[in-house]
């Protein structure tokens, strides 16, 4: 039987609709939460991500602005610009889109963001709060995945969770959130031995290593919940024919467009998993919804307001 599809598009929409009300109330009280997105250089994928983030702000009537220094900017100068954003009272939230061009000292830049405005949860102060399970801003993609699991009533407590990928943005923080929700968590990476065997022990398997269609059906315990964090564009017709051999509609779409997006999970996994996030339309839209949640939360916290509990788990994760 094919897996139940966990739509991030739908869940993201729900989260944003709930937030819309809260934002209108804040605005009636004279508060318009504001986000500054810093996009350094001209990485085309980053440009699309930032455009979508700004659009989401506009759609919810949040204040937003884009800061777009050139790729040649020196670290010191970028630190100065971040300092200015830190000092501006109407800016509640700052995100520095990654990756930064290689001459820029990325860790120094991320450390320069005021932790109270750090809506990506990348500052060491917020990372520390996450490790200690203290309230703070949480990285958006992991927070969105937790929200997706909760809203689809997928049990975490006591289950085995395997996270493939140990990035600071997804793998590590998500493993901590799952741990705090009482899963038994294993983190895998490129040096893990018998990766398919370890993955098969998972009730909840997260693929977040950035390799197209790497997680094949042999990685999956039948009935497991599979979360696909990868977004990979394929353009090679030979690769597409192999990947989509059992998915004629997707192959047809590839032939029409000349490219397709696939996750880190192979399309055939849908036949083995119990539940699966699609790509596109899975984790991506959740990341943006949670960025909006974090922007509102930062605005409230900066004004000493309590943060309403949208859900048990979101509250616990804060
Ligand atoms: N690059 C890839 N993912 C992210 C993210 O969640 N936030 C930022 N700022 N940059 C990213």
């Amino acid at each position: 039987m094919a897996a139940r599809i966990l739509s991030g598009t739908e869940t993201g929409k729900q989260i944003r609709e709930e937030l819309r009300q809260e934002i209108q109330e804040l605005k009636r009280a004279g508060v318009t939460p504001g986000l500054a997105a810093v996009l350094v250089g001209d990485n085309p994928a980053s440009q699309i991500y930032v455009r979508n983030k700004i659009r989401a702000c506009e759609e919810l009537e949040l204040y937003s602005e884009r800061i777009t220094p050139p790729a040649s900017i020196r670290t010191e100068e970028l630190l100065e610009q971040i300092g200015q954003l830190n000092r501006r009272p109407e800016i509640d939230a700052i995100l520095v889109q990654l990756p930064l061009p290689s001459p820029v000292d990325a860790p120094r830049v991320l450390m320069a963001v005021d932790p109270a405005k750090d809506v990506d949860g990348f500052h060491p102060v917020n990372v520390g709060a996450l490790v200690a399970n203290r309230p703070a801003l949480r990285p958006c993609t992991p927070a969105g995945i937790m929200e997706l699991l909760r809203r689809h009533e997928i049990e975490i407590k006591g289950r085995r969770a395997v996270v493939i990928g140990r990035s600071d943005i997804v793998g590590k923080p998500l493993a901590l959130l799952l741990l705090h929700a009482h899963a038994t968590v294993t983190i895998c990476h490129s040096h893990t031995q018998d990766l398919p065997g370890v993955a098969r022990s998972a009730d909840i398997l997260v693929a977040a290593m950035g390799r197209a269609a790497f997680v094949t059906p042999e990685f999956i315990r039948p009935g497991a919940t599979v979360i696909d964090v990868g977004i990979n564009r394929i353009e090679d017709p030979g690769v597409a024919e192999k990947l989509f051999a059992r998915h004629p509609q997707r192959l047809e779409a590839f032939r029409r467009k000349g490219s397709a997006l696939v996750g880190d999970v192979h399309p055939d996994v849908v036949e083995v998993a119990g539940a699966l996030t699609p790509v596109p339309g899975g984790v991506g839209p959740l990341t943006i919804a949670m960025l909006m949640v974090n922007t509102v939360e930062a605005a409230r916290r900066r004004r000493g307001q309590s943060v309403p509990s949208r859900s048990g788990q979101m509250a616990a994760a804060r």
Side-chain angles (χ1 to χ4, degrees):
M1 207 173 70
R4 171 183 177 205
I5 299 299
L6 307 174
S7 167
T9 306
E10 285 306 312
T11 301
K13 215 180 275 175
Q14 261 177 26
I15 294 170
R16 279 180 296 169
E17 282 316 309
E18 292 164 15
L19 207 51
R20 188 183 299 282
Q21 312 247 336
E22 199 181 324
I23 291 167
Q24 289 309 318
E25 278 167 34
L26 277 170
K27 290 179 82 148
R28 279 195 289 276
V31 175
T32 300
L35 170 76
V38 180
L39 169 62
V40 182
D42 45 19
N43 178 318
S46 292
Q47 285 173 333
I48 293 171
Y49 292 139
V50 168
R51 190 178 66 206
N52 290 340
K53 291 170 183 179
I54 298 283
R55 211 175 263 167
C57 284
E58 287 169 355
E59 216 254 316
L60 285 174
E61 298 178 36
L62 298 173
Y63 174 76
S64 64
E65 67 183 54
R66 240 168 40 117
I67 320 287
T68 55
S72 60
I73 192 168
R74 290 182 324 109
T75 300
E76 302 296 335
E77 210 178 324
L78 190 53
L79 294 176
E80 179 47 41
Q81 294 195 5
I82 304 251
Q84 284 173 15
L85 294 172
N86 285 342
R87 289 188 289 275
R88 281 175 55 194
E90 76 280 19
I91 298 295
D92 295 292
I94 302 169
L95 86 83
V96 180
Q97 186 65 31
L98 300 178
L100 287 168
S102 51
V104 173
D105 185 342
R108 259 183 95 194
V109 171
L110 297 181
M111 286 246 293
V113 175
D114 178 348
K117 299 188 177 188
D118 170 35
V119 270
D120 269 322
F122 292 165
H123 191 285
V125 164
N126 288 324
V127 176
L130 169 59
V131 173
N133 201 17
R134 303 294 302 160
L137 294 162
R138 300 292 193 231
C140 302
T141 302
I145 292 169
M146 297 303 286
E147 200 51 27
L148 182 82
L149 293 173
R150 191 191 66 77
R151 288 175 188 245
H152 287 85
E153 298 183 336
I154 289 165
E155 179 87 29
I156 300 173
K157 185 158 63 177
R159 311 299 291 277
R160 288 182 188 276
V162 173
V163 179
I164 311 179
R166 54 177 161 180
S167 70
D168 291 337
I169 297 181
V170 181
K172 268 191 253 175
L174 179 59
L176 286 162
L177 289 174
L178 289 164
L179 180 67
H180 296 327
H182 312 296
T184 300
V185 182
T186 303
I187 306 177
C188 300
H189 46 76
S190 50
H191 296 279
T192 298
Q193 302 201 351
D194 185 24
L195 184 53
V198 179
R200 266 198 310 275
S201 72
D203 301 306
I204 299 169
L205 178 66
V206 181
M209 65 295 197
R211 293 181 61 179
F214 182 80
V215 171
T216 52
E218 63 156 345
F219 285 61
I220 312 296
R221 167 196 290 235
T225 295
V226 179
I227 306 293
D228 189 355
V229 183
I231 302 182
N232 312 282
R233 184 171 296 281
I234 54 164
E235 290 175 335
D236 181 332
V239 171
E241 266 166 42
K242 261 186 34 206
L243 277 184
F244 300 139
R246 293 155 178 264
H247 306 269
Q249 287 180 340
R250 292 190 73 178
L251 187 56
E252 182 54 36
F254 173 87
R255 289 193 173 126
R256 269 199 315 273
K257 288 181 63 181
S259 71
L261 291 180
V262 295
D264 290 353
V265 173
H266 193 290
D268 291 353
V269 163
V270 72
E271 296 301 331
V272 191
L276 174 67
T277 60
V279 174
V283 170
L286 289 171
T287 298
I288 296 196
M290 296 314 285
L291 176 67
M292 302 297 104
V293 168
N294 278 357
T295 298
V296 172
E297 178 174 334
R300 281 191 183 282
R301 281 188 192 285
R302 288 186 60 240
R303 288 163 181 80
Q305 295 183 11
S306 66
V307 176
S309 167
R310 258 166 287 267
S311 73
Q313 194 164 306
M314 237 151 96
R318 277 161 197 280

